[in-house]
Amino acid sequence: MTVDASAECRIAREMFEADNASRALGIQILELSPGHAVASMVVGETMVNGHGITHGGFVFTLADTAFAMACNGYDTAAVAARADIRFLTATRLGDTLVAEAVERARFGHNGLYDVTVRRGDDVIAEFRGDSRCLRPVSTY
C-alpha cells in the first residue's frame, strides 16, 4: 500500500477509518495521495444479483469510495456534488475489482474526478464525479 502520510491526506485517512459502509464491503485503499486513490474489493456472495453478476450498486460504491479518497486528499473536507457511472462489462462472484480515481481539475471549491474500475486488465466501468469542498463548521 502506498498511502501518503502527510497532513494533506489526514482527512481522507480519518474518513475511511470511520466509513463503516466501505469497510464492511471489504474495500481496501491501496494507494492514496492528493487527487489520486486506488481502492480494491473482492465480489462476495451478497454482492451478486439475480442474473449471477455483480450488482451495479456495489461497483458504484467501490468507484465512489476511490473518488472520495482522492478528493479528500487535501486539507479541506469534500463531498460528492454529482456522480455517474457507465457499466461496460459484467463481473462475477470472486472477481477482484480495482478502482483508480484521478483528479482532472480542481477549481475554487470544486473538483472533477474520473474513476476507472478494472478486473485485471479489463475495464468494467467508468465513473465521473464532481466534488464540492465543505466550509469549516464554526464553533462559536
Side-chain angles (χ1 to χ4, degrees):
M1 179 185 338
T2 307
V3 176
D4 188 323
S6 73
E8 287 186 317
C9 289
R10 177 189 56 79
I11 292 171
R13 288 191 312 272
E14 289 175 358
M15 186 181 76
F16 188 74
E17 282 300 314
D19 185 346
N20 293 327
S22 294
R23 290 179 37 244
L25 294 175
I27 294 175
Q28 297 180 350
I29 304 305
L30 305 178
E31 295 179 26
L32 175 61
S33 59
H36 178 259
V38 178
S40 70
M41 175 183 79
V42 176
V43 178
E45 288 184 20
T46 59
M47 299 175 183
V48 178
N49 68 20
H51 293 297
I53 61 177
T54 310
H55 189 293
F58 292 108
V59 177
F60 187 97
T61 300
L62 174 63
D64 188 49
T65 299
F67 163 55
M69 293 294 99
C71 66
N72 278 280
Y74 296 97
D75 62 354
T76 304
V79 295
R82 183 190 68 81
D84 62 61
I85 194 166
R86 301 293 184 270
F87 300 108
L88 305 176
T89 192
T91 60
R92 301 191 180 281
L93 178 65
D95 286 346
T96 298
L97 308 182
V98 177
E100 181 173 13
V102 178
E103 182 179 272
R104 297 298 179 203
R106 193 164 176 248
F107 47 98
H109 293 285
N110 304 297
L112 178 64
Y113 295 80
D114 286 331
V115 183
T116 300
V117 182
R118 291 184 172 84
R119 176 191 54 218
D121 292 332
D122 297 329
V123 175
I124 63 130
E126 291 286 351
F127 170 108
R128 175 160 272 192
D130 298 346
S131 68
R132 178 86 176 148
C133 291
L134 298 174
R135 290 191 174 107
V137 177
S138 177
T139 57
Y140 58 91

